Amino acid sequence: METARTSRPETFRTEIADGMRIEWDVPIVMDDGIVLRADVFRPIDNAPVPVILTYGPYAKGLPFQVGYPSAWEAMCRDHPDAVTNSTNKYQNWEVVDPEKWVPHGYACVRVDSRGTGRSPGYIDLFSARETRDYYDCIEWAGAQPWSNGRVGLNGISYYAMNQWHVASLNPPHLAAICPWEGAADFYRDGARQGGIRSTFWDNWYDMQVKTVQYGIGETGGRNPNTGQLICGDEQLTAQELAANRSDFGADLRAHRFADEFHAIRSAQWDRITIPVLSCGNWGGQGLHLRGNVEAFVRAASTRKWLEMHGHAHWPLFYTDYGVDLQMRFFDRYLKGANNGWEDRPAVQLQIRHVDATFEPRGEDAWPPPATEWTRRYLSSSLALSESVPVTGSVSYPALGDGVEFTTPPLDADVEVTGPLAAKLFVSSSTTDADLFLVVRVYSPSGSEIVFQGALDPHTPVAQGWLRASHRRLDPALSQPYRPYHPHDTTEPLEPGEVYELDIEILPTCLVIPAGYRIALQVRGSDYVYPGPSARLSNLKNDLTGCGPFLHNDDVDRPAGVFDGVTTVHIGEQYPSHLVLPVIPDARRGLRMA
């Protein structure tokens, strides 16, 4: 129910500044009468141009530098080209910088989503109501006299995730989308990896959404460009604020399975037919990886591209590399430019090396067609071997650090690029068990190779998860290299009985030098980097290897069910193994044109 006072669509403010015509707080009326607010940055001459649009909850008037200071400082330090050729006065978290797009002949529209920033209403994140709002905003932008009628969507994370949702509705003016590091399957990609609840969304809601809710007054600060209150001109009471937002954490706890709650917050693949550039992060294992790859494979569009990169979550989007990639794509589909975009490979990979450098390579499909699916078998001696070992088993406390299986030193360089999987034969002393799988790589000196992930600076090579009671597969959607679980019911274990578990391990990319070792760690809790932690100002928890994507809800993992002993069974009867996507030497020599 909408309990906020609905704002009036009064005249908005217009100014000419920094080579742009800027319209602050433009009203957009939704189909139910509520008025959302947008900032519009466009060329001064009023000529019709294509539109880059975003709709989300991070407050269009909150400067990137103010709201996310540690992220801003890291981007300026590590990627200085991200902030050059701009005054950076209009930078906003996870959306395009208009000073780089307007001179190139685009209008940039930023909409405060319902209930946040300067838009009144009830916050119900990723809901059907939000998606309908987004649809209405696209159609509004496409019909403006300064628009050429073609709208593109571009942005990071939240601004990527909701692109999939609204594209499923096929707004007539929507011409192309570029989701940059954003989940697409709300259950599997973010809420409950492998069926195990992530507490990320609870903490994120507190830190990044409630802090910019419409009606919090001076607490939300003022836009330095306009002097306006960032979160609206009304001051609502604590009771009114609480009544104007869902209890997102409680909603997530209440929906244990992949039900309608998650479906309406996920892409509908068969309905997405417009051009797509899906950009994912090798280090985005908690939220910013699986959705981009899965979307590329399953979207119905015949004009779709996948780009995979490394580095932190936000900076590459703003760099010369990121802006050039996005502009070439949108120039083709929003301007009709014959710029050779469609001659590019369908899959554009940044191949990662152990020194955190990258080399570009194109592929025709995902997974790369030349992939050699390679098994390594677990043994009771804690080795990963080429042949099936003798029968045995290994047990560990079910909530502990588990056990690790390791290859001998590699006798040649090996490239592992693509999705991974594991088949484990497991028994539990209780009626359930959570398995956390971590693929690790060690140098000859024994140091673990970790990378700057999407958020955590010490991200391991790959991770996967599965709740044993969610082991049932969907045969129509499963592949040997990418198991797919329906997550629609619980099938408790019989204590002591052995069960076959197929576990999805999210894609990775790494050229592993000779002399290094590959390991599979089977754990009962989240990976923890054995070194110093880190911190970002917009997150509650320290970053200890998994970033904010932790599975530490005691209610979801109650004592007596998940704190027993887990046993991995091994041998000819129980051939537990890891599946690695090995790229042959001949393919590794190629580079993207």
Side-chain angles (χ1 to χ4, degrees):
M1 183 177 70
E2 304 286 3
T3 59
R5 307 170 184 94
T6 302
S7 62
R8 298 184 306 277
E10 65 268 14
T11 303
F12 52 88
R13 170 185 164 189
T14 301
E15 66 175 319
I16 305 296
D18 299 303
M20 300 180 289
R21 185 179 299 276
I22 308 174
E23 296 168 339
W24 301 106
D25 241 22
V26 180
I28 307 177
V29 182
M30 298 294 99
D31 64 338
D32 63 350
I34 202 165
V35 177
L36 305 185
R37 292 288 170 174
D39 291 341
V40 179
F41 305 83
R42 57 188 180 88
I44 295 171
D45 62 8
N46 291 318
V49 292
V51 180
I52 301 295
L53 188 144
T54 49
Y55 169 101
Y58 294 142
K60 60 184 176 59
L62 178 64
F64 189 149
Q65 306 92 315
V66 175
Y68 301 85
S70 58
W72 177 262
E73 291 163 8
M75 183 169 73
C76 294
R77 180 189 67 236
D78 299 334
H79 301 273
D81 60 319
V83 296
T84 57
N85 300 316
S86 174
T87 69
N88 297 301
K89 288 160 54 177
Y90 312 103
Q91 288 274 28
N92 201 222
W93 178 242
E94 299 190 333
V95 300
V96 301
D97 178 359
E99 289 190 86
K100 294 188 177 182
W101 286 78
V102 172
H104 194 69
Y106 285 90
C108 299
V109 177
R110 298 171 175 170
V111 185
D112 278 337
S113 59
R114 185 177 294 236
T116 67
R118 293 186 62 81
S119 294
Y122 183 84
I123 302 175
D124 191 8
L125 300 173
F126 301 116
S127 64
R129 177 66 264 175
E130 273 206 349
T131 303
R132 181 65 206 189
D133 286 348
Y134 205 172
Y135 181 108
D136 289 347
C137 291
I138 291 167
E139 291 307 290
W140 173 88
Q144 296 306 299
W146 42 260
S147 169
N148 74 351
R150 296 180 182 178
V151 178
L153 309 180
N154 191 17
I156 307 173
S157 194
Y158 198 104
Y159 298 106
M161 293 174 69
N162 62 8
Q163 290 182 48
W164 299 117
H165 308 162
V166 75
S168 300
L169 299 182
N170 289 299
H173 286 98
L174 182 59
I177 62 172
C178 178
W180 191 282
E181 298 189 31
D185 179 327
F186 194 72
Y187 187 94
R188 295 166 183 82
D189 298 350
R192 290 179 176 265
Q193 288 97 352
I196 309 167
R197 188 171 111 77
S198 169
T199 55
F200 163 73
W201 290 111
D202 310 51
N203 297 329
W204 165 84
Y205 195 43
D206 288 344
M207 295 289 286
Q208 293 183 230
V209 179
K210 291 180 182 179
T211 52
V212 289
Q213 184 177 359
Y214 176 87
I216 63 174
E218 291 284 354
T219 303
R222 290 185 178 270
N223 182 340
N225 294 306
T226 66
Q228 291 177 308
L229 287 168
I230 290 169
C231 297
D233 298 326
E234 296 184 83
Q235 174 77 58
L236 303 182
T237 67
Q239 292 76 15
E240 286 177 309
L241 290 169
N244 270 357
R245 62 178 183 249
S246 69
D247 186 337
F248 198 43
D251 290 344
L252 292 168
R253 283 190 294 274
H255 293 273
R256 300 168 51 210
F257 302 115
D259 57 12
E260 183 65 15
F261 174 87
H262 295 96
I264 64 175
R265 291 166 171 80
S266 301
Q268 303 298 312
W269 305 118
D270 60 333
R271 300 178 185 174
I272 297 176
T273 57
I274 59 172
V276 173
L277 172 59
S278 178
C279 302
N281 190 322
W282 298 124
Q285 295 155 11
L287 188 65
H288 301 116
L289 167 59
R290 184 185 186 276
N292 288 102
V293 174
E294 194 81 358
F296 170 75
V297 173
R298 297 181 64 187
S301 176
T302 58
R303 296 165 296 172
K304 56 184 179 179
W305 286 265
L306 173 66
E307 186 272 349
M308 294 296 299
H309 54 261
H311 301 291
H313 176 41
W314 61 93
L316 212 64
F317 178 84
Y318 296 94
T319 63
D320 293 344
Y321 168 83
V323 173
D324 178 70
L325 181 73
Q326 298 154 37
M327 280 189 179
R328 287 179 182 273
F329 172 70
F330 285 118
D331 282 355
R332 174 67 188 92
Y333 294 110
L334 272 61
K335 293 183 174 183
N338 293 318
N339 60 4
W341 174 266
E342 288 162 346
D343 298 329
R344 297 171 69 92
V347 177
Q348 304 162 35
L349 305 178
Q350 295 293 327
I351 304 300
R352 186 169 60 179
H353 294 263
V354 294
D355 62 355
T357 59
F358 296 85
E359 293 180 280
R361 186 175 74 227
E363 296 284 356
D364 295 329
W366 182 269
T371 303
E372 297 174 350
W373 301 104
T374 304
R375 292 185 179 186
R376 288 295 177 264
Y377 293 90
L378 284 62
S379 77
S380 55
S381 64
L382 303 185
L384 279 177
S385 59
E386 296 183 22
S387 58
V388 178
V390 298
T391 299
S393 64
V394 180
S395 299
Y396 61 91
L399 293 179
D401 295 338
V403 292
E404 188 165 284
F405 305 85
T406 311
T407 67
L410 301 177
D411 56 11
D413 292 2
V414 172
E415 181 188 329
V416 174
T417 295
L420 302 86
K423 183 183 289 290
L424 301 182
F425 293 85
V426 170
S427 63
S428 172
S429 64
T430 67
T431 57
D432 213 338
D434 285 344
L435 285 89
F436 297 70
L437 271 54
V438 187
V439 176
R440 307 172 77 176
V441 170
Y442 294 96
S443 72
S445 68
S447 299
E448 183 179 6
I449 305 303
V450 293
F451 297 95
Q452 172 62 63
L455 293 173
D456 201 300
H458 305 111
T459 299
V461 171
Q463 295 187 75
W465 307 260
L466 183 64
R467 176 157 290 174
S469 62
H470 287 222
R471 63 192 176 276
R472 183 165 55 85
L473 293 172
D474 181 329
L477 292 175
S478 289
Q479 298 287 347
Y481 54 80
R482 202 276 276 126
Y484 190 93
H485 303 87
H487 296 294
D488 55 4
T489 190
T490 297
E491 300 177 70
L493 310 182
E494 184 68 32
E497 185 173 334
V498 179
Y499 295 88
E500 181 177 346
L501 308 182
D502 291 280
I503 305 170
E504 177 184 17
I505 302 175
L506 301 192
T508 193
C509 175
L510 184 63
V511 177
I512 308 170
Y516 283 60
R517 295 176 295 119
I518 302 172
L520 174 67
Q521 187 178 31
V522 183
R523 301 173 55 91
S525 58
D526 286 307
Y527 166 86
V528 177
Y529 172 66
S533 63
R535 189 83 185 174
L536 282 173
S537 59
N538 58 300
L539 301 176
K540 277 188 179 181
N541 61 287
D542 287 346
L543 306 179
T544 58
C546 292
F549 308 108
L550 302 177
H551 304 81
N552 53 1
D553 182 352
D554 291 339
V555 175
D556 184 60
R557 308 181 71 203
V561 178
F562 292 96
D563 59 352
V565 174
T566 302
T567 300
V568 180
H569 298 265
I570 291 159
E572 291 187 3
Q573 185 180 359
Y574 303 117
S576 294
H577 62 268
L578 170 68
V579 178
L580 294 169
V582 175
I583 305 300
D585 291 347
R587 189 65 195 161
R588 287 200 290 119
L590 300 179
R591 294 291 176 262
M592 187 167 66

